[in-house]
Amino acid sequence: MKVFQNVSDIGPLDQALREAFEIKADRYKFENLGRHKTCLLIFFNNSLRTRLSTQKAAMNLGMNVIVLDVNQGAWKLETERGVVMDGDKSEHLLEAIPVMGSYCDIIGVRSFAKFESREDDYSEKILQQFIRYSGKPVFFMESATVHPLQSFADLITIEEYKERPRPKVVLSWAPHPRALPQAVPNSFAQWMNAADVDFVVTHPHGYELDPQFVGNAKVDYDQMHAFEGADFIYAKNWSCPGVVNPADYGKVLNKDLSWTVDAAHMAVTNNAHFMHCLPVRRNMIVTDDVIESPRSLVIPEAANREISAQVVLKRILESL
Ligand code: CP
């Protein structure tokens, strides 16, 4: 595997899940695979889970790990060609990327949507340059449009906790004070569409996800109706994807707290498990009692980030 971006990059999901559970049973089984190999993790944005879980996964495989926070201690990077660099940016991404590639065998990159241009974000302008110029396999640690390590961990969690063969999984928009990217819901929709689940998306009008991700999933604008009989509720905020009105891309169109997942919402489900990728704003996205309930999976879900990262790194190491 040279790039990990989409669900299709991991191949058949049943095989990926088998590998995940094999690693979960013995996470040091492949501890020699990454010997004398270096994994470089590059963060343009903050992280707790992705940083720690990916680092741990690489160490479980015997790799050396270097972590770079681009905005803390590195030269400020210019990303546009043709710019006269007479401002505060000292280095161009086009030199920085191949230099970074020369110090490692695998590169993970986190670079969120900037919301300056839908076209730039949805063409994955930054990550595509890493793929093109680093000379090394690149895995996405949350880009402008996708967060595949998260979605793979979510799938592992659903597989572990499902109580019927084809569970009903509902992705629900929930309110948030700031404009958040669409990467998590995009990826989650993509992975759930590929998995053996009954998948429903619910959100207010104006929050329609890009068709390349939502595919043929059922969309229900009535949140309570969508929750009926659900086995898993996956809550997440996202800003306007600009599908209906491109001028609204990245805007917060709605802060309606009636969309907050609370006990009344959970009461109409099939005793559903609650999921969220974290970090989460309590009593905006979900109430204290729901996230603290025995049906909340937010902690095991985050723990599975180590497993999803380890499967991906293993696959990349095997292809070097
Ligand atoms: N869920 C997730 O990616 O968490 P971090 O932003 O803390 O890495």
Side-chain angles (χ1 to χ4, degrees), residues 47-50 110 147 150 277-278 305:
S47 168
L48 187 153
R49 277 144 292 273
T50 305
R110 166 165 285 201
H147 195 0
Q150 180 65 53
C277 61
L278 304 182
R305 290 292 307 275

Side-chain angles (χ1 to χ4, degrees), residues 47-116:
S47 168
L48 187 153
R49 277 144 292 273
T50 305
R51 173 189 306 267
L52 297 179
S53 62
T54 312
Q55 196 165 343
K56 177 67 164 54
M59 292 191 299
N60 292 349
L61 292 164
M63 301 188 82
N64 300 313
V65 185
I66 306 171
V67 181
L68 176 67
D69 288 293
V70 173
N71 298 321
Q72 290 172 18
W75 301 111
K76 207 165 178 188
L77 295 175
E78 177 57 62
T79 58
E80 299 297 322
R81 279 189 81 248
V83 169
V84 177
M85 290 173 59
D86 60 355
D88 61 341
K89 294 175 178 167
S90 306
E91 178 153 24
H92 203 287
L93 201 60
L94 291 176
E95 283 79 55
I97 290 174
V99 168
M100 290 190 268
S102 73
Y103 301 140
C104 66
D105 301 282
I106 300 175
I107 302 183
V109 183
R110 166 165 285 201
S111 179
F112 290 174
K114 291 189 168 73
F115 293 139
E116 290 164 4

Side-chain angles (χ1 to χ4, degrees), residues 242-259:
V243 170
V244 175
N245 182 3
D248 285 339
Y249 174 63
K251 288 185 181 167
V252 175
L253 304 178
N254 192 326
K255 292 184 185 174
D256 181 357
L257 291 176
S258 74
W259 282 77

